[in-house]
Amino acid sequence: MKKLLMILIVGLLLSSCASAKKSFDGKDRPSSRGALQVIDSQLCGADGNPVILRGISGYGVSVSERYITDETFHDLAQVMGVNVFRMAMYTYGMGSFGYCTGGDKEKLYQLMMDGVEYGEKNDMYIILDWHILSDGDPNHYIEDAKDFFDKASKQCADKKNVIYEICNEPNNVEWNDVKAYADVIISIIRNNDPDSVIIVGTPDWSSRVDIAADDPLDYPNLLYALHFYSASHKQESRDNVKRAIDKGLPIFVSEYGITASTGNFPYDIDEADLWIEFLEENGISHVMWNFSKVSESSAAIKGSVLKTSGFEYDDFSTSGQWLIDMIKNRSANEQK
Ligand code: IDC
């Protein structure tokens, strides 16, 4: 009788773990999932259950200050339905001063911290994105990166909703040089915030996760960035990603678009749907580019919309409405 009871208990435990592995319940927010972690290449909550984050990236804090408000973040969470927001901070000037090229470091840093606070208030995870792009090699401004991430990881060490993205899109740089940069910055962050989740960019504008999979870094709670734009990256790109997944690489799509990689026309919504299906099947989180009203098809807000809060569905562009619909459908399916 005792043996039978033991078999029954073990069976129940195994079945609950198995169902937990597959079950996303549409509640993947800091209030229900807490501090994130990476278990067996899968992003999970504090409870060890898998988490999928579905969100949007800011356009660049130096030119988006008007959207870094409690009211705007309320709409991000409640009107768009996102559970993660990416605070992109350009290191090199992008039509305005970058953090490392003449920008007001104190002001930009404070905007990033405001984003963490408003994210916490509105139950969203926040990615602090060190948005290298035309600077190519993250070592270019490594001294600024060391200062920024040391300060930020000290200030955010007790936060449950912060993810550190240490180099948006390494390009024209060897993977070994990116790894050397990552070793320095990861050590600084983990010295202040030991269990933090960190995203490291991969070669060729974060498109080559296969290169990282062949020669990964060796740290816990690490994710590798994959970026794609559906009108530019198709099945061949997904096949490449699958090879990295099969090698056990933990991946996070910290930027994608339903447009060309220019951030502009054409759309490819059919391909975007195929990408989302692929990511969701593999438990990979995804963050769309971008929350702005710039005159590019990747911008989520219609160019004619001047408001910064009180958004409604019709205020959003084709990209913005596609994102809202996708998140709504995916979250609803999880709660069935
Ligand atoms: C683009 C913006 C564009 C801006 C440019 C600056 O959409 O308005 O002029 O950056 O270089 C990326 C980058 C992201 C790009 C985006 C679209 O991470 O900064 O935004 N993109 O080009 N990688 C692939 C595409």
Side-chain angles (χ1 to χ4, degrees), residues 315-331:
D315 293 324
F316 295 105
S317 66
T318 301
S319 283
Q321 293 184 357
W322 175 88
L323 180 67
I324 292 170
D325 296 343
M326 181 271 286
I327 291 175
K328 198 171 179 180
N329 296 335
R330 290 290 168 176
S331 303

PDB file of all heavy atoms in Angstrom, residues 315-331:
ATOM      1  N   ASP A 315      -4.840  54.906 -32.699  1.00  0.00           N
ATOM      2  CA  ASP A 315      -3.674  55.814 -32.676  1.00  0.00           C
ATOM      3  C   ASP A 315      -2.414  55.109 -33.172  1.00  0.00           C
ATOM      4  O   ASP A 315      -1.403  55.758 -33.435  1.00  0.00           O
ATOM      5  CB  ASP A 315      -3.397  56.305 -31.241  1.00  0.00           C
ATOM      6  CG  ASP A 315      -4.511  57.220 -30.722  1.00  0.00           C
ATOM      7  OD1 ASP A 315      -5.055  57.981 -31.548  1.00  0.00           O
ATOM      8  OD2 ASP A 315      -4.846  57.139 -29.527  1.00  0.00           O
ATOM      9  N   PHE A 316      -2.517  53.784 -33.307  1.00  0.00           N
ATOM     10  CA  PHE A 316      -1.328  53.005 -33.655  1.00  0.00           C
ATOM     11  C   PHE A 316      -1.287  52.705 -35.146  1.00  0.00           C
ATOM     12  O   PHE A 316      -2.312  52.615 -35.814  1.00  0.00           O
ATOM     13  CB  PHE A 316      -1.282  51.706 -32.823  1.00  0.00           C
ATOM     14  CG  PHE A 316      -1.116  51.963 -31.346  1.00  0.00           C
ATOM     15  CD1 PHE A 316      -2.186  51.828 -30.471  1.00  0.00           C
ATOM     16  CD2 PHE A 316       0.109  52.387 -30.838  1.00  0.00           C
ATOM     17  CE1 PHE A 316      -2.044  52.091 -29.117  1.00  0.00           C
ATOM     18  CE2 PHE A 316       0.273  52.646 -29.480  1.00  0.00           C
ATOM     19  CZ  PHE A 316      -0.804  52.504 -28.618  1.00  0.00           C
ATOM     20  N   SER A 317      -0.074  52.544 -35.632  1.00  0.00           N
ATOM     21  CA  SER A 317       0.163  52.278 -37.066  1.00  0.00           C
ATOM     22  C   SER A 317      -0.101  50.807 -37.376  1.00  0.00           C
ATOM     23  O   SER A 317      -0.467  50.023 -36.480  1.00  0.00           O
ATOM     24  CB  SER A 317       1.638  52.595 -37.362  1.00  0.00           C
ATOM     25  OG  SER A 317       2.460  51.651 -36.649  1.00  0.00           O
ATOM     26  N   THR A 318       0.163  50.411 -38.596  1.00  0.00           N
ATOM     27  CA  THR A 318       0.055  49.001 -38.980  1.00  0.00           C
ATOM     28  C   THR A 318       0.931  48.138 -38.086  1.00  0.00           C
ATOM     29  O   THR A 318       0.497  47.116 -37.562  1.00  0.00           O
ATOM     30  CB  THR A 318       0.462  48.818 -40.460  1.00  0.00           C
ATOM     31  OG1 THR A 318      -0.397  49.614 -41.266  1.00  0.00           O
ATOM     32  CG2 THR A 318       0.400  47.366 -40.886  1.00  0.00           C
ATOM     33  N   SER A 319       2.172  48.631 -37.850  1.00  0.00           N
ATOM     34  CA  SER A 319       3.078  47.878 -36.956  1.00  0.00           C
ATOM     35  C   SER A 319       2.509  47.799 -35.544  1.00  0.00           C
ATOM     36  O   SER A 319       2.484  46.725 -34.926  1.00  0.00           O
ATOM     37  CB  SER A 319       4.453  48.545 -36.908  1.00  0.00           C
ATOM     38  OG  SER A 319       5.197  48.258 -38.063  1.00  0.00           O
ATOM     39  N   GLY A 320       2.032  48.931 -35.023  1.00  0.00           N
ATOM     40  CA  GLY A 320       1.523  48.966 -33.652  1.00  0.00           C
ATOM     41  C   GLY A 320       0.289  48.096 -33.482  1.00  0.00           C
ATOM     42  O   GLY A 320       0.169  47.344 -32.507  1.00  0.00           O
ATOM     43  N   GLN A 321      -0.629  48.158 -34.442  1.00  0.00           N
ATOM     44  CA  GLN A 321      -1.857  47.354 -34.340  1.00  0.00           C
ATOM     45  C   GLN A 321      -1.566  45.862 -34.504  1.00  0.00           C
ATOM     46  O   GLN A 321      -2.152  45.030 -33.813  1.00  0.00           O
ATOM     47  CB  GLN A 321      -2.885  47.827 -35.382  1.00  0.00           C
ATOM     48  CG  GLN A 321      -3.404  49.232 -35.091  1.00  0.00           C
ATOM     49  CD  GLN A 321      -4.494  49.676 -36.052  1.00  0.00           C
ATOM     50  OE1 GLN A 321      -4.858  48.963 -36.993  1.00  0.00           O
ATOM     51  NE2 GLN A 321      -5.024  50.884 -35.812  1.00  0.00           N
ATOM     52  N   TRP A 322      -0.586  45.547 -35.374  1.00  0.00           N
ATOM     53  CA  TRP A 322      -0.204  44.126 -35.523  1.00  0.00           C
ATOM     54  C   TRP A 322       0.323  43.595 -34.188  1.00  0.00           C
ATOM     55  O   TRP A 322      -0.023  42.494 -33.753  1.00  0.00           O
ATOM     56  CB  TRP A 322       0.874  43.976 -36.614  1.00  0.00           C
ATOM     57  CG  TRP A 322       1.399  42.585 -36.742  1.00  0.00           C
ATOM     58  CD1 TRP A 322       0.894  41.574 -37.514  1.00  0.00           C
ATOM     59  CD2 TRP A 322       2.518  42.024 -36.045  1.00  0.00           C
ATOM     60  NE1 TRP A 322       1.624  40.417 -37.340  1.00  0.00           N
ATOM     61  CE2 TRP A 322       2.641  40.672 -36.441  1.00  0.00           C
ATOM     62  CE3 TRP A 322       3.440  42.537 -35.129  1.00  0.00           C
ATOM     63  CZ2 TRP A 322       3.641  39.817 -35.959  1.00  0.00           C
ATOM     64  CZ3 TRP A 322       4.451  41.707 -34.641  1.00  0.00           C
ATOM     65  CH2 TRP A 322       4.538  40.376 -35.057  1.00  0.00           C
ATOM     66  N   LEU A 323       1.146  44.429 -33.511  1.00  0.00           N
ATOM     67  CA  LEU A 323       1.722  43.997 -32.228  1.00  0.00           C
ATOM     68  C   LEU A 323       0.633  43.775 -31.186  1.00  0.00           C
ATOM     69  O   LEU A 323       0.604  42.755 -30.496  1.00  0.00           O
ATOM     70  CB  LEU A 323       2.729  45.031 -31.726  1.00  0.00           C
ATOM     71  CG  LEU A 323       3.406  44.702 -30.382  1.00  0.00           C
ATOM     72  CD1 LEU A 323       4.310  43.479 -30.501  1.00  0.00           C
ATOM     73  CD2 LEU A 323       4.206  45.903 -29.867  1.00  0.00           C
ATOM     74  N   ILE A 324      -0.308  44.730 -31.081  1.00  0.00           N
ATOM     75  CA  ILE A 324      -1.396  44.615 -30.095  1.00  0.00           C
ATOM     76  C   ILE A 324      -2.202  43.344 -30.340  1.00  0.00           C
ATOM     77  O   ILE A 324      -2.477  42.563 -29.424  1.00  0.00           O
ATOM     78  CB  ILE A 324      -2.305  45.853 -30.162  1.00  0.00           C
ATOM     79  CG1 ILE A 324      -1.555  47.100 -29.677  1.00  0.00           C
ATOM     80  CG2 ILE A 324      -3.577  45.635 -29.329  1.00  0.00           C
ATOM     81  CD1 ILE A 324      -2.302  48.408 -29.925  1.00  0.00           C
ATOM     82  N   ASP A 325      -2.543  43.114 -31.610  1.00  0.00           N
ATOM     83  CA  ASP A 325      -3.352  41.925 -31.958  1.00  0.00           C
ATOM     84  C   ASP A 325      -2.595  40.638 -31.646  1.00  0.00           C
ATOM     85  O   ASP A 325      -3.151  39.683 -31.093  1.00  0.00           O
ATOM     86  CB  ASP A 325      -3.725  41.951 -33.442  1.00  0.00           C
ATOM     87  CG  ASP A 325      -4.623  43.135 -33.802  1.00  0.00           C
ATOM     88  OD1 ASP A 325      -5.212  43.736 -32.862  1.00  0.00           O
ATOM     89  OD2 ASP A 325      -4.714  43.473 -34.996  1.00  0.00           O
ATOM     90  N   MET A 326      -1.302  40.623 -31.998  1.00  0.00           N
ATOM     91  CA  MET A 326      -0.493  39.406 -31.780  1.00  0.00           C
ATOM     92  C   MET A 326      -0.402  39.077 -30.291  1.00  0.00           C
ATOM     93  O   MET A 326      -0.615  37.935 -29.873  1.00  0.00           O
ATOM     94  CB  MET A 326       0.903  39.600 -32.377  1.00  0.00           C
ATOM     95  CG  MET A 326       1.850  38.420 -32.251  1.00  0.00           C
ATOM     96  SD  MET A 326       2.818  38.458 -30.713  1.00  0.00           S
ATOM     97  CE  MET A 326       3.982  39.769 -31.093  1.00  0.00           C
ATOM     98  N   ILE A 327      -0.100  40.091 -29.478  1.00  0.00           N
ATOM     99  CA  ILE A 327       0.033  39.870 -28.029  1.00  0.00           C
ATOM    100  C   ILE A 327      -1.297  39.409 -27.445  1.00  0.00           C
ATOM    101  O   ILE A 327      -1.359  38.462 -26.657  1.00  0.00           O
ATOM    102  CB  ILE A 327       0.540  41.138 -27.323  1.00  0.00           C
ATOM    103  CG1 ILE A 327       1.994  41.422 -27.711  1.00  0.00           C
ATOM    104  CG2 ILE A 327       0.419  40.997 -25.807  1.00  0.00           C
ATOM    105  CD1 ILE A 327       2.550  42.719 -27.163  1.00  0.00           C
ATOM    106  N   LYS A 328      -2.382  40.030 -27.892  1.00  0.00           N
ATOM    107  CA  LYS A 328      -3.711  39.665 -27.374  1.00  0.00           C
ATOM    108  C   LYS A 328      -4.009  38.199 -27.690  1.00  0.00           C
ATOM    109  O   LYS A 328      -4.411  37.421 -26.823  1.00  0.00           O
ATOM    110  CB  LYS A 328      -4.757  40.563 -28.041  1.00  0.00           C
ATOM    111  CG  LYS A 328      -6.103  40.633 -27.345  1.00  0.00           C
ATOM    112  CD  LYS A 328      -6.925  41.732 -28.011  1.00  0.00           C
ATOM    113  CE  LYS A 328      -8.303  41.882 -27.428  1.00  0.00           C
ATOM    114  NZ  LYS A 328      -9.048  42.974 -28.136  1.00  0.00           N
ATOM    115  N   ASN A 329      -3.747  37.788 -28.935  1.00  0.00           N
ATOM    116  CA  ASN A 329      -4.034  36.405 -29.340  1.00  0.00           C
ATOM    117  C   ASN A 329      -3.152  35.412 -28.591  1.00  0.00           C
ATOM    118  O   ASN A 329      -3.610  34.400 -28.089  1.00  0.00           O
ATOM    119  CB  ASN A 329      -3.837  36.253 -30.853  1.00  0.00           C
ATOM    120  CG  ASN A 329      -4.830  37.096 -31.640  1.00  0.00           C
ATOM    121  OD1 ASN A 329      -5.903  37.414 -31.131  1.00  0.00           O
ATOM    122  ND2 ASN A 329      -4.447  37.497 -32.843  1.00  0.00           N
ATOM    123  N   ARG A 330      -1.857  35.727 -28.507  1.00  0.00           N
ATOM    124  CA  ARG A 330      -0.934  34.795 -27.853  1.00  0.00           C
ATOM    125  C   ARG A 330      -1.244  34.652 -26.371  1.00  0.00           C
ATOM    126  O   ARG A 330      -1.245  33.560 -25.815  1.00  0.00           O
ATOM    127  CB  ARG A 330       0.512  35.290 -28.032  1.00  0.00           C
ATOM    128  CG  ARG A 330       1.023  35.188 -29.453  1.00  0.00           C
ATOM    129  CD  ARG A 330       1.245  33.752 -29.859  1.00  0.00           C
ATOM    130  NE  ARG A 330       1.456  33.593 -31.278  1.00  0.00           N
ATOM    131  CZ  ARG A 330       1.743  32.413 -31.853  1.00  0.00           C
ATOM    132  NH1 ARG A 330       1.861  31.337 -31.100  1.00  0.00           N
ATOM    133  NH2 ARG A 330       1.894  32.314 -33.159  1.00  0.00           N
ATOM    134  N   SER A 331      -1.561  35.786 -25.721  1.00  0.00           N
ATOM    135  CA  SER A 331      -1.849  35.724 -24.272  1.00  0.00           C
ATOM    136  C   SER A 331      -3.155  34.981 -24.028  1.00  0.00           C
ATOM    137  O   SER A 331      -3.249  34.155 -23.122  1.00  0.00           O
ATOM    138  CB  SER A 331      -1.950  37.141 -23.687  1.00  0.00           C
ATOM    139  OG  SER A 331      -0.763  37.847 -23.948  1.00  0.00           O
TER     140      SER A 331
END
